[in-house]
Amino acid sequence: VQLQASGGGSVQPGGSLRLSCAASGFAAAIGWFRQAPGKEREGVGCISRSSDLPYYADSVKDRFTISRDNAKNTVYLQMNSLKVEDTAVYYCAGMRYIYGSLTRNWFRDSEYAYWGQGTLVTVSS
């Protein structure tokens, strides 16, 4: 399965961007991760193919929204009220299967078999 992330760009603080992740095949769940310069990659959020309940990191909760369109095999990350600290390369990743509890594991990058190429989001005034 190949994943194609798109939609990154430059925006001022308080602005919005929407990222897309198009999958070429089936993924049981799609997660969003980000890596800021000099920092480790961290989970942003995740949504399973069969549930309408996304998971979010505390740092983005109430600002970011994950949604999916199964017909298009695409997952979206709507980012609002962007902050300078949201600047990072954003990756989408896909799980081949969901093992155990998604609640406990969605943010572990080892759970994901497929990775997209990343798209840069820069938040700056």
Side-chain angles (χ1 to χ4, degrees):
V1 175
Q2 294 184 333
L3 302 177
Q4 180 74 38
S6 61
S10 296
V11 64
Q12 292 186 338
S16 298
L17 280 175
R18 188 178 81 156
L19 306 184
S20 299
C21 177
S24 65
F26 175 83
I30 296 289
W32 286 99
F33 290 77
R34 66 185 182 185
Q35 187 165 22
K39 294 188 176 181
E40 292 187 357
R41 186 165 59 192
E42 64 173 351
V44 174
C46 175
I47 189 168
S48 76
R49 188 176 183 87
S50 59
S51 170
D52 289 328
L53 183 64
Y55 299 90
Y56 299 101
D58 288 343
S59 58
V60 306
K61 203 172 292 183
D62 299 327
R63 298 189 298 121
F64 291 10
T65 302
I66 296 175
S67 61
R68 67 167 195 274
D69 184 335
N70 285 346
K72 296 182 178 179
N73 244 5
T74 300
V75 170
Y76 304 97
L77 178 65
Q78 177 67 44
M79 305 185 294
N80 298 329
S81 302
L82 281 162
K83 304 176 180 180
V84 171
E85 52 263 42
D86 294 318
T87 295
V89 177
Y90 284 70
Y91 300 89
C92 61
M95 289 185 183
R96 184 179 291 119
Y97 304 106
I98 297 175
Y99 296 100
S101 169
L102 192 60
T103 303
R104 287 198 295 267
N105 297 324
W106 71 263
F107 51 89
R108 303 181 194 281
D109 53 12
S110 59
E111 296 291 316
Y112 296 82
Y114 319 116
W115 288 85
Q117 83 288 0
T119 184
L120 177 62
V121 172
T122 303
V123 185
S124 172
S125 56

